[in-house]
Amino acid sequence: EGGRAAALAIFVCIAAPGETASGAHDARDVAAGHGVAHDARAVRSIERWLALGSPAGRASSMDEDVDRVVTLRTTGSELAFEPARLSLETGTRVRLEYVNEGVLPHNFVLLKSEDDLDALGAAAYEAEATGYVPVDRADALIAYTALAPPGETVSVTFEVPAPGSYTFVCLFPGHYNVMLGTLRALNPARR
Ligand code: CU
């Protein structure tokens, strides 16, 4: 399992924005050379994305008037959000800034229900034109950023939903099984 993730990381690293589609073929060779399986579906999806000019899509932002600014980041070749847990009061208007200090492209997608994770992860493979956000399933999403290339910051503003626990995820191909976090929406404090 770890080997598979490493192979995907190698692949995506080589096929990062700015690379040509031939980089994807090189990546297949790299993955094969490591003797580990890789996700052929992710390879095809990323090849299509490269052929389109690596579109970033766009964030689902509401108005810019916010109560809180929250920063998440990723560093190096990690497939992780830091922090991976957020706690915010329901109704808080948040600007979430996602700082990509990693070597791979990533996005931040907040789901209404974790039950949709597998379906959305699968749909994202076909969503290369919209920065790997399946916008035709927007009913299942609370908020999402554009795709952040390595070294860039993207943001989105949204209102923290009803009390409960919500999953956020990166939907770049090959990441959604591991690059996950949780937003706890808390009952507003009584004053
Ligand atoms: Cu990612």
Side-chain angles (χ1 to χ4, degrees), residues 12 74 78-81 98 100 104-108 147-148 169-176 178-179:
V12 176
T74 297
E78 295 290 316
L79 297 183
F81 293 103
Y98 173 63
N100 186 0
L104 314 175
H106 303 291
N107 60 19
F108 165 92
L147 191 66
V169 60
C170 170
L171 291 180
F172 194 79
H175 295 192
Y176 82 91
V178 288
M179 195 166 169

Side-chain angles (χ1 to χ4, degrees), residues 8 11 24-25 27-28 38-48 50 125 173:
L8 282 170
F11 165 71
H25 294 291
R28 285 178 180 168
H38 65 281
D39 186 339
R41 209 170 156 213
V43 171
R44 288 195 300 274
S45 179
I46 295 168
E47 284 175 339
R48 292 195 303 272
L50 292 166
Y125 282 92

Side-chain angles (χ1 to χ4, degrees), residues 70-74 78-88 96 98 106-115 117 120 142-143 158 161 164-171 175-185:
V70 172
T71 301
L72 293 183
R73 70 183 69 237
T74 297
E78 295 290 316
L79 297 183
F81 293 103
E82 276 224 28
R85 287 175 176 273
L86 299 174
S87 294
L88 293 161
L96 183 136
Y98 173 63
H106 303 291
N107 60 19
F108 165 92
V109 182
L110 181 60
L111 312 186
K112 285 185 182 166
S113 168
E114 191 183 7
D115 294 344
L117 178 61
L120 292 167
I142 295 168
F158 63 94
S165 192
Y166 299 86
T167 294
F168 56 85
V169 60
C170 170
L171 291 180
H175 295 192
Y176 82 91
N177 280 320
V178 288
M179 195 166 169
L180 294 158
T182 303
L183 165 65
R184 287 189 64 215

Side-chain angles (χ1 to χ4, degrees), residues 90-176:
T90 293
T92 306
R93 290 167 301 175
V94 175
R95 176 202 295 282
L96 183 136
E97 302 202 325
Y98 173 63
V99 182
N100 186 0
E101 295 173 342
V103 296
L104 314 175
H106 303 291
N107 60 19
F108 165 92
V109 182
L110 181 60
L111 312 186
K112 285 185 182 166
S113 168
E114 191 183 7
D115 294 344
D116 294 326
L117 178 61
D118 287 335
L120 292 167
Y125 282 92
E126 313 299 325
E128 66 274 4
T130 50
Y132 289 110
V133 175
V135 293
D136 55 336
R137 298 287 320 273
D139 56 311
L141 308 176
I142 295 168
Y144 50 88
T145 65
L147 191 66
E152 297 203 7
T153 295
V154 292
S155 67
V156 60
T157 53
F158 63 94
E159 188 169 310
V160 177
S165 192
Y166 299 86
T167 294
F168 56 85
V169 60
C170 170
L171 291 180
F172 194 79
H175 295 192
Y176 82 91

